[in-house]
Amino acid sequence: MTIEDLQRLYEAQGAAQYGGEAVSQLQHALQSAHFADEDGAPEALVIAALLHDFGHIVSGQADEDLANGIDDRHEALGVAALKNLFDDHVLAPIALHVTAKRYLCAVSPQYLLTLSQASRQSLLLQGGVMSDEEVSRFERNPHLEAAIALRRYDDLAKVPDLVTAPLSHYLDRARKLLRPQEAA
C-alpha cells in the first residue's frame, strides 16, 4: 500500500454512500480530518481521522451491509492495510475508534442519544455498550484520549455538502508521517 494507492482507492470507491448516512465514504473521511484540524489535533490524529474508515473501502462494504447485519470489522481491516505506512500514532486511534464508541455509550448514556440511527445500528453489531470490566480495561489504554477524540470527529463528519480541503491536501500531509522505509 502506498499513498498513491490510497488516493486511487478513494477516487475509485469513495463516492459510495457511507453506511446509511447522507454523505459518501470520501466526504466522511475528509470531514473527519477537517474537524480534527479545526480542533487543533496533532497531525497524526488528523491523518487517523482521514483514514479511520479506510477498512470500509478495503472490504468493499455495500450500503445495505449494515441493514443486513454485516459488521465488516473495518477498524481491523484498515489497520492491516495501513500498518506498513504508519506507526501507532496514526494506527492506534483507527484500531480503537469503534471501541471508543462502545466506551462512550457506557460512561455517558446521553452519548448514545446523539448517535445517528446507522451508528446505533452498527453499535449493536460491534458488541454493544461496554461492560464495567471492559470500561476499566479500556481506561488503561494509552491511546484512550486519541481514540475518543477520533470518535468525536467521526460522529461530526456526516454533514451533507460541507466544504473541506481536498483529498490531495491531506495525503500530502500524510506523506510526512510515513514510516521511514515508506518515505524513501
Side-chain angles (χ1 to χ4, degrees), residues 3 12 32 47 51 63 81 101 131 162-163 169 177 179 181:
I3 294 291
S32 296
I47 301 310
L51 300 173
D63 194 39
K101 176 172 66 171
S131 68
L162 180 72
V163 176
H169 167 77
L177 297 175
R179 290 182 182 271
Q181 70 274 13

Side-chain angles (χ1 to χ4, degrees), residues 85 153 167 173:
L85 292 179
Y153 308 140
L167 180 61
R173 291 167 64 179

Side-chain angles (χ1 to χ4, degrees), residues 93-141:
I94 294 171
L96 296 170
H97 79 279
V98 168
T99 305
K101 176 172 66 171
R102 296 182 60 228
Y103 170 81
L104 288 168
C105 288
V107 300
S108 176
Q110 288 299 103
Y111 174 78
L112 179 60
L113 301 176
T114 69
L115 295 177
S116 68
Q117 181 60 35
S119 196
R120 276 187 247 140
Q121 199 173 2
S122 67
L123 172 67
L124 296 175
L125 295 174
Q126 295 161 338
V129 176
M130 278 187 173
S131 68
D132 291 343
E133 182 181 324
E134 289 172 311
V135 165
S136 178
R137 190 170 44 247
F138 190 57
E139 286 176 339
R140 293 188 299 270
N141 190 299

Side-chain angles (χ1 to χ4, degrees), residues 29 32-34 36-37 40-51 153 170 173:
S32 296
H34 168 81
D37 251 348
E43 195 70 359
L45 189 51
V46 172
I47 301 310
L50 176 73
L51 300 173
Y153 308 140
Y170 291 109
R173 291 167 64 179

Side-chain angles (χ1 to χ4, degrees), residues 53-64:
D53 280 345
F54 184 66
H56 287 315
I57 300 285
V58 172
S59 77
Q61 179 193 43
D63 194 39
E64 67 277 358

Side-chain angles (χ1 to χ4, degrees), residues 160-178:
D161 302 318
L162 180 72
V163 176
T164 66
L167 180 61
S168 60
H169 167 77
Y170 291 109
L171 293 180
D172 285 345
R173 291 167 64 179
R175 281 182 175 83
K176 298 173 187 162
L177 297 175
L178 291 173

